């Protein structure tokens, strides 16, 4: 055998054994054997020295080795290429720890509304709801506020342009009227929901807010029952030892009427800016249901009496959590909302 044939075979073995572990080494391999100045090119050039009858055999042999080198190059390139793309950002690493999912939190108004509902449900109140778009009758007239009654001005009202008989309800008392119309006493309901008033928006007032109103109608319901129910609510909501005080007031649908204050949670009655140095903060309106209202709902006012109360959920939440601006509830800034994570 010619020495040049031996050289080709030795190169074939070398190619076979050549260890390639990285793309860099692969490139070195390509330059050494396959490239335009590579060894195989040199071997081809050696064909000049080969005897004419062996030129064909020699050519085939070198071609074979060249193919072998190219195959090795392509196979390794493919496998190294896969590895490098596996670590690129498009692919998924199934072994990586999962990304944490940020949990939302309940809105503070929902939290406080649910707490109010829960406290009253423990003493036998069930939920009654009514529409937010309401007729004049359910929002005003049935509640002892006939047309042109001055008390209507107590609640600045949004009217519907197409139909002056329809309003955005100014309180959830509409649900109380609807309940009294459709149920026989004893009635014991609370009416949570959104209400609207044409108020200038400020830190203390908003044109939309939430209420929970309550109604209890039965034989011999007294003012003492009202006071006890509200006292129970206060202790559960704001903590034992919170004092209450009832001040005479006026609502067209209750007689007598009162507003209830609680001892200031911030200064515990000492006097501070929240309670305007009085030691007390107002939290709700209440009273004994006016017999006219019972009559409007076809409930015998000779036989039955009842009490009613109504509170603003935002106000309760502001006192409970020390929030000083009602607008925060409607802006839905996550930095505000996420402080209530984990509270139900
Ligand atoms: N409906 C009254 C309001 O929205 C609150 C209230 C309810 C007062 C029941 C007394 C009795 O202002």
């Amino acid at each position: 055998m010619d020495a040049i044939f031996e050289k080709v075979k030795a190169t074939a073995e070398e190619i076979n054994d050549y260890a390639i572990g990285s793309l860099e080494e692969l490139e070195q391999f390509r330059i050494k054997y396959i490239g335009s100045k590579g060894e195989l090119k040199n071997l081809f050039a050696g064909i000049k020295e080969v005897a004419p009858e062996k030129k064909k055999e020699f050519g085939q042999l070198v071609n074979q080795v060249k193919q072998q080198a190219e195959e090795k190059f392509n196979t390794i390139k493919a496998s190294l290429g896969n590895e490098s793309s596996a670590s690129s950002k498009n692919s998924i690493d199934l072994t990586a720890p999962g990304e944490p999912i940020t949990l939302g939190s309940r809105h503070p108004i929902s939290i406080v509304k649910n707490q109010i509902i829960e406290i009253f449900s423990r003493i036998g109140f069930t939920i009654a709801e009514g529409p937010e778009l309401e007729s004049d009758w359910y929002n005003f007239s049935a509640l002892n506020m006939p047309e042109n009654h001055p008390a209507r001005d107590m609640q600045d009202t949004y009217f519907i342009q197409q139909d002056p008989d329809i309003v955005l309800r100014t309180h959830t008392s509409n649900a109380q009227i609807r309940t009294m119309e459709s149920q026989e006493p004893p009635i014991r309901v609370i009416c949570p929901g959104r209400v609207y008033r044409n108020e200038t928006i400020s830190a203390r007032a908003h044109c939309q807010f939430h209420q929970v109103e309550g109604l209890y109608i039965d034989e011999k319901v007294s003012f003492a029952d009202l006071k006890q129910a509200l006292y129970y609510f206060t202790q559960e909501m704001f903590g034992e030892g919170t004092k209450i005080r009832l001040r005479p007031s006026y609502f067209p649908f209750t007689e007598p009427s009162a507003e209830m204050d609680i001892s200031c949670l911030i200064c515990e009655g000492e006097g501070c800016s929240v309670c305007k140095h009085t030691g007390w903060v107002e939290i709700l309106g209440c009273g004994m249901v006016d017999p006219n209202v019972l009559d409007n709902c076809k409930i015998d006012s000779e036989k039955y009496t009842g009490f009613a109360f109504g509170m603003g959920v935002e106000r309760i939440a502001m006192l409970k959590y020390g929030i000083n601006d009602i607008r925060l509830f409607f802006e839905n800034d996550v930095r505000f909302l996420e402080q209530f994570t984990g509270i139900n």
Side-chain angles (χ1 to χ4, degrees):
M1 248 308 153
D2 282 316
I4 192 150
F5 275 81
E6 288 304 320
K7 212 172 162 194
V8 176
K9 282 184 185 151
T11 308
E13 260 169 53
E14 237 179 73
I15 288 173
N16 209 19
D17 297 343
Y18 197 103
I20 302 169
S22 67
L23 285 171
E24 250 169 54
E25 285 169 6
L26 181 68
E27 180 61 5
Q28 281 159 13
F29 171 84
R30 188 190 66 78
I31 294 167
K32 185 161 193 260
Y33 296 106
I34 312 169
S36 57
K37 289 175 189 157
E39 286 189 19
L40 289 167
K41 194 97 178 176
N42 284 339
L43 287 174
F44 262 125
I47 201 161
K48 290 176 269 167
E49 297 154 32
V50 177
E53 70 279 10
K54 286 199 169 166
K55 275 195 198 298
K56 190 178 172 198
E57 192 190 336
F58 181 80
Q60 278 171 349
L61 182 65
V62 180
N63 256 332
Q64 226 176 22
V65 178
K66 192 184 172 210
Q67 259 175 29
Q68 179 199 338
E70 280 170 353
E71 260 166 44
K72 180 162 179 152
F73 176 84
N74 288 333
T75 321
I76 292 176
K77 188 179 173 190
S79 72
L80 287 177
N82 277 344
E83 263 171 44
S84 74
S85 76
S87 61
S88 81
K89 61 179 186 296
N90 291 335
S91 66
I92 300 167
D93 178 359
L94 295 175
T95 63
E99 296 263 326
I101 297 166
T102 351
L103 278 185
S105 54
R106 232 183 255 290
H107 194 284
I109 292 305
S110 299
I111 295 171
V112 172
K113 186 189 73 182
N114 290 344
Q115 283 172 350
I116 300 171
I117 292 173
E118 215 255 318
I119 293 167
F120 281 105
S121 70
R122 273 186 246 147
I123 51 172
F125 285 79
T126 54
I127 294 177
E129 286 176 315
E132 289 179 24
L133 272 174
E134 188 54 282
S135 72
D136 185 284
W137 169 256
Y138 288 106
N139 195 80
F140 290 124
S141 299
L143 285 150
N144 208 25
M145 283 186 274
E147 223 180 307
N148 301 323
H149 193 288
R152 287 193 177 206
D153 291 343
M154 287 167 73
Q155 301 175 351
D156 288 324
T157 310
Y158 286 115
F159 292 90
I160 301 303
Q161 223 165 22
Q162 287 87 340
D163 185 349
D165 191 48
I166 307 283
V167 300
L168 279 173
R169 69 174 174 191
T170 56
H171 46 191
T172 60
S173 308
N174 65 330
Q176 306 189 346
I177 299 297
R178 287 173 178 275
T179 308
M180 285 190 277
E181 273 184 357
S182 62
Q183 286 177 31
E184 299 275 309
I187 293 170
R188 215 174 336 185
V189 289
I190 44 171
C191 310
R194 197 192 298 257
V195 300
Y196 304 85
R197 289 187 199 175
N198 190 3
E199 303 250 7
T200 308
I201 296 171
S202 70
R204 300 179 62 83
H206 211 285
C207 58
Q208 53 167 343
F209 57 98
H210 298 77
Q211 278 192 332
V212 177
E213 295 210 340
L215 175 72
Y216 177 30
I217 313 255
D218 202 348
E219 290 176 42
K220 300 196 184 81
V221 175
S222 71
F223 201 94
D225 296 325
L226 167 64
K227 196 172 165 189
Q228 186 55 37
L230 294 179
Y231 180 72
Y232 172 76
F233 164 72
T234 311
Q235 303 307 294
E236 295 296 305
M237 192 71 194
F238 298 108
E240 262 173 53
T242 310
K243 295 196 199 86
I244 62 166
R245 133 180 131 168
L246 289 158
R247 280 180 291 106
S249 185
Y250 171 76
F251 297 104
F253 28 85
T254 46
E255 183 59 35
S257 302
E259 276 170 316
M260 189 178 87
D261 299 339
I262 58 167
S263 49
C264 180
L265 302 168
I266 313 287
C267 64
E268 291 177 357
E270 292 291 304
C272 69
S273 63
V274 171
C275 61
K276 300 198 193 93
H277 303 282
T278 63
W280 297 94
V281 282
E282 184 204 318
I283 64 159
L284 54 80
C286 59
M288 301 306 290
V289 179
D290 192 300
N292 286 343
V293 177
L294 297 177
D295 293 340
N296 284 339
C297 302
K298 317 245 163 1
I299 288 176
D300 183 354
S301 58
E302 296 289 321
K303 187 174 174 194
Y304 294 107
T305 52
F307 68 65
F309 58 86
M311 66 186 95
V313 181
E314 281 77 1
R315 182 156 182 80
I316 305 284
M318 287 168 83
L319 288 171
K320 193 166 164 109
Y321 293 113
I323 297 161
N324 57 11
D325 193 327
I326 194 172
R327 291 169 290 200
L328 287 164
F329 293 120
F330 301 99
E331 283 163 4
N332 286 329
D333 186 326
V334 182
R335 290 167 300 179
F336 171 68
L337 296 179
E338 70 189 0
Q339 296 178 63
F340 300 89
T341 308
I343 309 175
N344 276 309

